Amino acid sequence: MSKSRNLPAAALLLAFAGPVQAGDFGLGRPALPEEIAAWDLDVAPDGQGLPEGSGSVEDGEEIFSANCAICHGEFAEGVDNYPKLAGGEGTLDRDDPVKTVGSYWPYLSTVWDYVHRSMPFGAAQVLTVDEVYAVTAYILYSNYLVDDDFVLSNENFLEVALPNAEGFIVDDRETTELPRFSQPPCMTDCKPEVEITMRAAVLDVTPEGAAAN
Amino acid sequence: MTDRPGAPTRRGFLKAGLAGGGALVAGKAAAEGPDPVIPDPLITETQPWAQMWGDGVDVTPYGLPIDYESDVIRRNVDWLTADTISSVNFTPIHALDGTITPQGCAFERHHSGAIDLPKEDYRLMINGLVETPLIFTYADLERFPRVNHTYFLECAANSGMEWAGAQLNGAQFTHGMIHNMEYSGVPLRTLLQEAGVRPEGKWVYVEGADASSNGRSIPLEKALDDCLVAFKANGEALRKEHGYPVRLCVPGWEGNMWIKWLRRVEVTTEAVESREETSKYTDTLADGTSRKWTWAMDAKSVITAPSPQAPITHGPGPLVITGLAWSGRGAIERVDVSLDGGANWQTARLARPGQRMALTRFYLDIDWDGSEMLLQSRAMDETGYVQPTKTALREIRGLNSVYHNNGIQTWWVKTSGEAENVEVS
């Protein structure tokens, strides 16, 4: 490439008619629109990146059954250890919270984006844009968030709010933890007595043969 | 130390050996060899390795550890995940020393498996809010000015299974989602400057070439500070399972953000709020709200030996207590060790001064009297932060954070020298 800053400005203009480079090294080449379109697939909570298209709960049910249900269940309830996509409403403050799209995820954009780019597991990026809208609609339906005649599209996408949209706070350790944990530590006679309160060997879930001896 | 054969304290050892039963007697033989009054045939008889040839230099173009070290391997815990493709394994930290993790046993965490991506097929795209979106080949990256840094990579979920209590019996399992390597590569800043970041740019979204993509949002400030686009680790190319040919290093921050097989960096105005920063890598508190963007890994330490997989086999006397400490907020300045479950502490010796965002090795050399111990270590970093107890963390966060468990670990060392993962009051 010939966009080194060591070249005289005139030579740079002659040799390179494209946009002015900000960099110093003249390495790499401009990305073409088709290349950016192929790789830049992410969708943000404000809908940026969402392509035109639509899909219904009805179509989504069929697509989900064929591509997703083997791991996630016919009703998105999860099979074995594979993720549950529906259910768990109101469990986040319980001992064993069930975190699903309906109970936990803040943004529908993430569902669309993640399904489009990375699902089905083992055969990602096979669903068309309309199929992803349909599957997303079906996941909403499985979480009782829309009716069975719902059609999701890029037009109405931002009208859907997930239940836990307000459930997240930005890392607050700086105020809630760092001051408390930045005190000079106790060195001697720090506790009157020490008792063992729990033992891993009692639970016995460590893989066999892990010990060196 | 006076505890050697013939010295007065040896009588105490023999007595302890009798009282301690079989394990200790067997341990004595392994550690001290045969009876000191009978000539040792390993010395008096000529051994085959002192007579015959060893291997020629053409036998091992690229070597593996000797067979006797076959237990120093990654291990997985099959009940942790639904499959081994989106899963994790563990570095055998109980058997390592120093700070550099051998790449061949450094832990792996994939979301859609370890992919095979040749250098010739590698492309890196910089796009979004830049003056000129760019494509780099692998060869292009090697032509940028290069830097070297040693950093730890700790999975956000390291020790996560221990939130609810002592579960897995070994430092490899409780603390082994970590490795520490010397990386060579190009500052991400250099590549972003080459494309020219526009003033509206506030974040970068980074993703990998694998099916999971593992996309994460990073504030532009961090991207321009110390993020590194690395292609060598511990002197050689990255291993396939660690992102060959190119990965991102995000010093001090949770391992999930260290995108492997890095294929795209997009400058954006807002965070993408991808799956890996909403559904995952968010930390649920007791009231049901969750922290997001908990990027930094706080100061932490663990005693690697003695530990459940590395019991004491030599009986009482000189004992090396050793472990690792690290902090995502800077350098480790001090590590304290307790033998009695946190009632009393003594300051350990750092093998070398702590380096920022890198593992630090500590040692405490004691004269073990053969009695039970409740071993703990407590790291302190350059910000003044002191590693908290698990109880202290749970008081703030509850039990369901999943990630970021940097609480103090306790090993119960028994009179036999065996150790167990426990929690104490």
Side-chain angles (χ1 to χ4, degrees):
Chain A
M1 295 302 292
S2 54
K3 51 195 171 80
S4 163
R5 67 172 171 180
N6 295 327
L7 289 173
L12 183 64
L13 282 174
L14 283 174
F16 198 86
V20 176
Q21 296 292 318
D24 287 345
F25 299 99
L27 293 168
R29 59 145 176 102
L32 301 175
E34 298 88 339
E35 294 169 331
I36 295 172
W39 276 9
D40 183 353
L41 302 174
D42 55 88
V43 180
D46 65 2
Q48 267 199 63
L50 207 56
E52 275 183 34
S54 67
S56 65
V57 170
E58 197 181 350
D59 287 347
E61 182 170 24
E62 200 173 310
I63 298 161
F64 195 90
S65 183
N67 294 280
C68 320
I70 189 169
C71 294
H72 295 296
E74 289 292 339
F75 306 99
E77 79 281 16
V79 173
D80 297 334
N81 247 349
Y82 285 100
K84 298 171 176 35
L85 307 182
E89 302 85 0
T91 64
L92 297 181
D93 60 353
R94 296 195 194 158
D95 282 350
D96 201 4
V98 178
K99 299 183 181 181
T100 71
V101 171
S103 71
Y104 191 64
W105 291 36
Y107 303 116
L108 193 63
S109 56
T110 314
V111 181
W112 202 98
D113 174 58
Y114 184 68
V115 169
H116 184 224
R117 201 150 22 129
S118 299
M119 287 286 137
F121 189 54
Q125 305 206 40
V126 297
L127 298 180
T128 66
V129 163
D130 286 341
E131 285 174 332
V132 176
Y133 277 108
V135 167
T136 306
Y138 181 70
I139 292 171
L140 287 171
Y141 171 72
S142 299
N143 280 287
Y144 308 107
L145 297 173
V146 297
D147 294 328
D148 60 1
D149 60 352
F150 180 72
V151 178
L152 181 68
S153 72
N154 57 300
E155 301 285 333
N156 67 2
F157 196 88
L158 293 183
E159 292 164 21
V160 183
L162 294 184
N164 198 39
E166 304 301 319
F168 294 81
I169 57 169
V170 175
D171 184 3
D172 64 350
R173 283 176 290 176
E174 201 144 325
T175 53
T176 56
E177 297 186 7
L178 298 194
R180 196 190 299 199
F181 298 152
S182 300
Q183 305 299 321
C186 175
M187 292 300 287
T188 51
D189 300 326
C190 303
K191 342 174 165 173
E193 56 177 347
V194 180
E195 276 175 24
I196 291 172
T197 56
M198 192 163 182
R199 297 178 52 188
V202 173
L203 202 62
D204 196 23
V205 291
T206 308
E208 294 291 319
N213 294 62
Chain B
M1 291 291 173
T2 55
D3 188 11
R4 58 170 63 89
T9 54
R10 175 146 176 85
R11 274 198 302 277
F13 166 67
L14 288 173
K15 231 163 65 186
L18 289 171
L24 196 52
V25 173
K28 169 194 166 277
E32 297 195 3
D35 194 317
V37 300
I38 297 173
D40 185 348
L42 280 168
I43 298 169
T44 57
E45 293 173 14
T46 306
Q47 299 300 311
W49 55 77
Q51 287 188 300
M52 294 180 289
W53 289 342
D55 290 342
V57 294
D58 57 347
V59 169
T60 313
Y62 199 108
L64 288 170
I66 197 165
D67 291 345
Y68 315 123
E69 296 297 313
S70 60
D71 65 299
V72 187
I73 51 171
R74 299 168 181 142
R75 290 186 171 85
N76 79 316
V77 177
D78 55 13
W79 54 263
L80 272 181
T81 50
D83 55 69
T84 57
I85 304 300
S86 180
S87 192
V88 66
N89 61 26
F90 300 85
T91 304
I93 56 169
H94 64 287
L96 301 177
D97 210 318
T99 58
I100 295 294
T101 313
Q103 291 196 83
C105 65
F107 91 103
E108 304 168 64
R109 202 295 186 235
H110 319 300
H111 292 80
S112 51
I115 59 166
D116 185 327
L117 176 55
K119 284 178 183 169
E120 309 82 68
D121 296 349
Y122 178 78
R123 300 289 184 273
L124 175 61
M125 179 186 290
I126 312 266
N127 76 309
L129 297 168
V130 293
E131 298 301 331
T132 309
L134 292 175
I135 303 287
F136 298 111
T137 62
Y138 180 83
D140 291 333
L141 295 183
E142 283 201 328
R143 297 174 64 192
F144 283 100
R146 211 173 295 167
V147 295
N148 274 236
H149 289 287
T150 301
Y151 296 125
F152 74 80
L153 183 171
E154 183 184 18
C155 180
N158 199 23
S159 315
M161 298 84 73
E162 305 290 308
W163 269 114
Q167 284 217 51
L168 285 161
N169 211 18
Q172 179 170 20
F173 302 104
T174 58
H175 290 75
M177 293 184 199
I178 194 165
H179 56 60
N180 191 66
M181 301 188 190
E182 184 202 47
Y183 294 97
S184 307
V186 179
L188 179 55
R189 176 181 58 247
T190 305
L191 302 181
L192 286 169
Q193 283 170 347
E194 194 71 0
V197 177
R198 290 191 187 157
E200 318 89 272
K202 295 288 180 280
W203 293 78
V204 295
Y205 181 70
V206 287
E207 66 178 0
D210 62 316
S212 82
S213 93
N214 200 61
R216 287 290 308 251
S217 305
I218 298 175
L220 188 63
E221 193 180 23
K222 178 73 173 176
L224 294 176
D225 178 15
D226 58 1
C227 288
L228 181 62
V229 176
F231 38 79
K232 295 283 171 70
N234 294 350
E236 62 181 353
L238 296 170
R239 295 292 171 94
K240 175 175 88 171
E241 61 271 30
H242 297 140
Y244 181 94
V246 176
R247 84 170 310 159
L248 190 66
C249 300
V250 189
W253 288 18
E254 59 188 13
N256 178 258
M257 308 176 84
W258 292 51
I259 308 302
K260 294 187 286 191
W261 314 291
L262 179 70
R263 86 167 189 186
R264 196 169 68 89
V265 178
E266 178 185 359
V267 180
T268 61
T269 53
E270 302 288 345
V272 168
E273 304 267 10
S274 69
R275 188 253 195 180
E276 306 294 333
E277 56 202 10
T278 54
S279 170
K280 307 298 176 189
Y281 307 100
T282 50
D283 315 355
T284 301
L285 303 168
D287 68 359
T289 61
S290 301
R291 288 174 177 163
K292 67 176 181 180
W293 304 344
T294 48
W295 299 311
M297 302 304 292
D298 284 316
K300 186 169 175 179
S301 67
V302 64
I303 290 172
T304 51
S307 67
Q309 295 160 283
I312 304 169
T313 55
H314 53 59
L319 171 67
V320 174
I321 296 172
T322 187
L324 293 165
W326 62 96
S327 172
R329 299 188 196 270
I332 290 295
E333 287 210 325
R334 193 175 112 190
V335 180
D336 294 336
V337 170
S338 174
L339 311 181
D340 56 11
N344 297 282
W345 296 85
Q346 44 194 315
T347 299
R349 170 170 59 89
L350 303 187
R352 293 168 59 191
Q355 284 178 269
R356 289 173 58 78
M357 286 74 151
L359 291 189
T360 299
R361 171 65 57 178
F362 66 87
Y363 297 105
L364 182 71
D365 307 296
I366 69 162
D367 192 354
W368 185 44
D369 65 5
S371 60
E372 285 187 5
M373 296 185 286
L374 291 166
L375 292 181
Q376 297 185 340
S377 61
R378 182 175 69 186
M380 276 158 268
D381 71 21
E382 63 181 309
T383 71
Y385 179 96
V386 182
Q387 183 185 0
T389 61
K390 291 178 185 174
T391 305
L393 286 175
R394 288 173 185 142
E395 280 170 8
I396 296 170
R397 305 188 198 170
L399 296 177
N400 290 318
S401 282
V402 180
Y403 307 107
H404 292 280
N405 183 353
N406 66 319
I408 289 173
Q409 174 66 46
T410 310
W411 304 129
W412 174 28
V413 178
K414 302 163 197 182
T415 55
S416 64
E418 293 168 304
E420 182 179 331
N421 175 13
V422 297
E423 297 223 0
V424 296
S425 55

